[in-house]
Amino acid sequence: MRHLVRTAFVLTALLLGGCATQPQPLPPVTPKPLPPVVAPTPPVTPPPIPTISPNLSAADWRTLPGWQDDNLLAAWPAWLQSCSTLKNRPEWREACATAINLNPTDATAVRRYFQDNFSLYQSLQADGAVNGLVTGYYEPLLHGSRTPSTQYSVPLYGVPPDLLTIDLASVYPELKNMRLRGRLQGTKVVPYLSRNEIDTGNDPLKGNELVWVDNPVEAFFLQIQGSGRVRLPDGSLMRVGYADQNGYPYRSIGRVLADRGELPLAQTSMQNIKAWGQKNPAKLPELLSQNPSFVFFRELPASDNGPLGALGVPLTGERSIAVDARAIPLGAPVWLATTVPFSNQPLNRLVMAQDTGGAIRGNVRADYFWGFGDAAGRKAGSMKQQGQMWVMLPIGMAVPTVLAAPMASSAKIVKK
């Protein structure tokens, strides 16, 4: 053993001696670059929730543009629809009872009814401005099937069972008009799936399909309109309406196309966006994913009446509008003064505030319901007009200073 240790010592000495007599230069040491200094990410501050409240100024019937020219008989059925709900509210009860018992024979009688039973107020912006934006929407017709196929491959979904609706109003009163959506992930509540996650995921909503349609662009715009009809292979019609939404804010794909230089902003109508999609099918899925908002539907009873609005009554083509219910009481008669799309032709008529929409925000903001079908769609898709609005309240009713937005399902939730 001692012999082995001595041998190892001699070998070590020889090796060290060799190194001493033949030194090898060491390679230069290149210092590793220091990682870049990254400034800490500032906390994300959510945008303030805009506060909207009624701003109604007393007005004179004699100054109402076109008041003597409109055929008010065409608006009377829409007003009776409003009264089917408003008649149960004390401030509206008398005016609705008179309407229900009235047998209108001409527009003059109806005009006299409104002037005798209502006070007129112009809705003003917070800064006193009288003009605002008027857009249009409609009830589209799609083609689909209750079973999927190569022809019908785009699903319309019902409300998924894992979608949570969170109401924080009891803790944060300023959120009383907002509902948060999410889902459970373990023990945490996380945001619900975005459009991109739903469309490109591994069938995350499988089993929740109501119907399959043949066109992804038509399905996308159905979500914007909020309700529609689907013609099935046997010729029957299936009606679907808004049921819920995934909680993400709506983003206009028309503005995305404009920002990318694909379309001029003034030409981002629904029809032009559809035409762009037909010319650019490979780019279409990515474009649609830019809007993370996703709408879930429910099947409605088939009928010839219009889709249900937020008031809970069927909408009437060219006589119903969507409004910001924090600024204008739902159900109220409204005089809308605007113009026909792509013209200066006046469009002054009596309409009913029977619906709401996720992008309908402000005191002078209306979405005009054009009705059902392609002709209505062409008008709705191109309507971006300036307009003014007057609200009719029953005589003796206090002018509201605060209105709570409805939490009921709406015929539509988003708008371009």
Side-chain angles (χ1 to χ4, degrees):
M1 181 69 178
R2 293 178 63 183
H3 172 72
L4 291 175
V5 171
R6 188 182 308 110
T7 303
F9 177 81
V10 172
L11 289 173
T12 301
L14 289 173
L15 289 171
L16 290 175
C19 290
T21 56
Q22 297 181 6
Q24 299 294 321
L26 295 174
V29 177
T30 303
K32 294 183 178 180
L34 295 175
V37 178
V38 179
T41 303
V44 176
T45 302
I49 300 171
T51 300
I52 301 291
S53 59
N55 188 16
L56 302 176
S57 177
D60 192 320
W61 291 96
R62 293 170 295 183
T63 65
L64 208 55
W67 175 241
Q68 298 297 328
D69 302 325
D70 187 27
N71 178 15
L72 300 185
L73 288 178
W76 192 254
W79 169 234
L80 293 181
Q81 291 283 15
S82 281
C83 273
S84 66
T85 294
L86 297 180
K87 67 182 180 181
N88 300 318
R89 302 178 188 177
E91 61 272 28
W92 294 89
R93 186 176 296 135
E94 184 176 347
C96 283
T98 302
I100 293 169
N101 294 321
L102 182 67
N103 181 20
T105 57
D106 56 52
T108 301
V110 174
R111 188 172 293 108
R112 186 167 55 250
Y113 160 81
F114 283 104
Q115 292 181 187
D116 291 346
N117 290 276
F118 292 85
S119 298
L120 184 67
Y121 301 89
Q122 185 165 17
S123 186
L124 306 177
Q125 304 282 24
D127 60 1
V130 299
N131 288 311
L133 177 64
V134 182
T135 51
Y137 69 116
Y138 77 114
E139 187 182 22
L141 174 65
L142 289 79
H143 298 272
S145 171
R146 293 184 184 273
T147 56
S149 66
T150 54
Q151 181 179 359
Y152 304 112
S153 60
V154 182
L156 303 181
Y157 293 105
V159 179
D162 62 341
L163 178 68
L164 301 178
T165 300
I166 305 165
D167 184 1
L168 298 177
S170 61
V171 180
Y172 302 102
E174 65 273 17
L175 301 179
K176 65 181 179 180
N177 294 324
M178 298 188 68
R179 289 178 295 178
L180 304 178
R181 273 76 163 191
R183 60 190 175 95
L184 280 177
Q185 194 172 74
T187 59
K188 293 183 178 180
V189 176
V190 298
Y192 202 74
L193 302 173
S194 67
R195 175 180 299 277
N196 187 57
E197 291 170 321
I198 292 171
D199 285 343
T200 63
N202 187 23
D203 289 332
L205 299 185
K206 186 175 179 61
N208 293 284
E209 302 91 347
L210 289 179
V211 64
W212 286 262
V213 297
D214 62 353
N215 190 308
V217 180
E218 296 293 346
F220 178 89
F221 278 100
L222 175 66
Q223 294 189 30
I224 294 179
Q225 305 307 317
S227 61
R229 306 181 201 184
V230 181
R231 187 173 299 282
L232 302 175
D234 63 0
S236 62
L237 288 176
M238 172 186 181
R239 171 168 268 166
V240 295
Y242 171 87
D244 215 324
Q245 189 251 4
N246 65 344
Y248 285 81
Y250 171 76
R251 186 186 183 196
S252 167
I253 61 171
R255 183 165 292 278
V256 171
L257 287 175
D259 291 343
R260 293 176 176 180
E262 299 275 2
L263 285 176
L265 183 59
Q267 297 181 20
T268 55
S269 67
M270 180 178 63
Q271 289 80 6
N272 287 341
I273 294 173
K274 288 182 179 181
W276 182 92
Q278 290 177 343
K279 294 178 182 178
N280 300 274
K283 296 181 180 180
L284 186 60
E286 188 275 335
L287 174 68
L288 299 183
S289 72
Q290 296 303 304
N291 174 26
S293 175
F294 197 95
V295 169
F296 307 110
F297 294 96
R298 59 192 174 111
E299 184 172 358
L300 300 174
S303 83
D304 293 330
N305 294 327
L308 293 180
L311 186 64
V313 303
L315 304 179
T316 302
E318 301 189 41
R319 293 292 173 170
S320 296
I321 59 171
V323 298
D324 189 334
R326 299 170 297 172
I328 294 175
L330 270 184
V334 174
W335 186 257
L336 179 66
T338 184
T339 54
V340 175
F342 297 118
S343 76
N344 292 321
Q345 178 184 345
L347 180 62
N348 302 327
R349 60 183 50 181
L350 181 63
V351 294
M352 306 300 152
Q354 295 174 330
D355 204 4
T356 60
I360 313 304
R361 294 289 180 260
N363 296 75
V364 190
R365 177 71 173 93
D367 210 14
Y368 184 79
F369 179 64
W370 281 98
F372 168 71
D374 292 340
R378 286 190 292 271
K379 296 173 182 176
S382 58
M383 191 172 192
K384 292 181 181 179
Q385 318 298 110
Q386 288 292 296
Q388 299 181 29
M389 301 168 67
W390 287 260
V391 181
M392 302 175 193
L393 300 179
I395 291 175
M397 176 179 172
V399 179
T401 57
V402 176
L403 290 170
M407 303 302 283
S409 294
S410 165
K412 53 187 291 295
I413 195 64
V414 292
K415 194 64 189 74
K416 58 184 176 295

